[in-house]
């Protein structure tokens, strides 16, 4: 897959991916009715996108700070060892994503653990065991305003979006992570990490559970709210080759309103309040490098108290939501389970 040039999503792909961003598990019949396409044709188109690695659906622990410890880490490595360090970091299950950059750090990591103690006891020792990793700094997420699950293509009309959201319905209320049922639901969650649209029959085949048990436990996971489902897409295939992350200072009382304003500016992939020298960070995808200055200008106009401390271009995403990606952002076959602490 890495040796093939990336193929842009075509006019038939874009509405389907957008629809699955809104309703990752909606049945093909429902999607077909709203998109005015035959369900079989949509399923075949989706298989092609999956097989090429251009788009896929996964599920992962929510990572909200009130449910888990969500942290961000700047990593430095010795010159000439980026690939080896990226590969070693990517094998750590708690590392949710790895982003490569070229200013004051070599990588930015997003890490999800059940609590800060596991970060100290499990994740830090694994980082320190990587021979060519020369240092790291950590900040903690204190509020998660937006995630990549909220990001959508602009390929559907307002009526289609409305109908899709009505078909999805309200999100389930999250279950407390002390729920004693979580160990039994863990295997189902891990299967959904690989295939977010897995059916009860597929879960039964992959887990060895009786079909009725698989169906019951799958429904329990879906209604528990412990997982976030997302349709991911290659940034280059989607037409967004430029990725940029900003670190800023902003009065704490302004954070919620600022996140809402940034979302209206478009292309917002993540926005979080954090500890550290900067207390507010956000990341966006762009169609061209010239969009970065335009984004900063618009953000400054809308948010006069936003003090941008640093602008970082992301050159590569070796890992996202457990999946290893190629340099075009296409999913590879390598997958590291996120949330294995449910075992």
């Amino acid at each position: 897959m890495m040796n093939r040039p990336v193929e842009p999503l075509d006019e038939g792909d874009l509405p389907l991916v957008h629809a699955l961003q809104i309703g990752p598990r909606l049945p093909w019949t429902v999607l077909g009715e709203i998109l005015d396409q035959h369900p079989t044709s949509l399923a075949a188109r989706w298989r092609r996108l999956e097989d090429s690695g251009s788009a896929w659906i996964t599920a992962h622990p929510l990572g909200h700070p009130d449910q888990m410890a969500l942290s961000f880490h700047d990593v430095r490595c010795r010159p000439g060892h980026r690939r080896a360090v990226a590969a070693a970091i990517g094998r750590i299950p708690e590392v949710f994503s790895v982003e490569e950059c070229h200013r004051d750090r070599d990588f930015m990591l997003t890490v999800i653990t059940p609590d800060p103690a596991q970060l100290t006891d499990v994740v830090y020792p694994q980082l320190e065991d990587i021979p060519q990793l020369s240092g790291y700094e950590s900040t903690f997420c204190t509020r998660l305003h937006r995630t990549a699950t909220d990001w959508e293509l602009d390929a559907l009309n307002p009526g289609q979006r409305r109908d899709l959201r009505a078909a999805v319905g309200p999100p389930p209320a999250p279950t407390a992570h002390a729920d004693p049922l979580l160990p039994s639901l863990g295997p189902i969650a891990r299967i959904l990490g690989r295939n977010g649209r897995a059916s009860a029959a597929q879960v039964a085949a992959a887990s060895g559970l009786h079909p009725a048990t698989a169906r019951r436990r799958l429904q329990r996971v879906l209604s528990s709210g412990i997982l976030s489902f997302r349709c991911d897409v290659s940034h280059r295939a989607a037409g967004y080759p430029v990725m940029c992350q900003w670190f800023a200072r902003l009065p704490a009382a302004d954070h919620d309103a600022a996140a809402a304003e940034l979302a209206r500016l478009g292309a917002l992939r993540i926005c979080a309040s954090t500890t550290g020298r900067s207390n507010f960070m956000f990341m966006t995808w762009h169609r061209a490098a010239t969009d970065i200055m335009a984004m900063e200008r618009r953000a400054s106009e809308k948010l006069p108290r936003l003090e941008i401390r640093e602008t970082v271009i992301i050159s590569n995403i070796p890992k996202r939501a457990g999946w290893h990606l190629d340099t075009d952002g296409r999913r590879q076959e390598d997958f590291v389970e996120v949330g294995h602490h449910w075992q």
Side-chain angles (χ1 to χ4, degrees), residues 72-76 124 135-139 277:
F72 307 109
H73 309 264
D74 293 339
V75 171
R76 299 178 299 279
Y124 286 157
Y136 57 86
E137 295 182 8
S138 303
T139 61
R277 290 185 296 272

Side-chain angles (χ1 to χ4, degrees), residues 76-118:
R76 299 178 299 279
C77 65
R78 294 184 177 87
H81 295 280
R82 281 177 177 260
R83 298 282 73 75
V85 171
I89 293 173
R91 289 192 289 269
I92 300 174
E94 291 82 4
V95 173
F96 183 76
S97 67
V98 180
E99 295 161 345
E100 185 176 0
C101 47
H102 298 272
R103 184 177 174 85
D104 296 334
R105 80 273 287 166
D106 296 292
F107 300 100
M108 297 185 295
L109 315 182
T110 300
V111 174
I112 298 177
T113 54
D115 51 56
Q118 183 157 336

Side-chain angles (χ1 to χ4, degrees), residues 61-70 112 141 143-145 147 174 228:
L62 284 174
H64 285 289
D66 57 344
Q67 298 168 320
M68 294 182 179
L70 178 62
I112 298 177
C141 177
R143 185 172 178 85
L144 189 60
H145 302 282
T147 71
S228 175

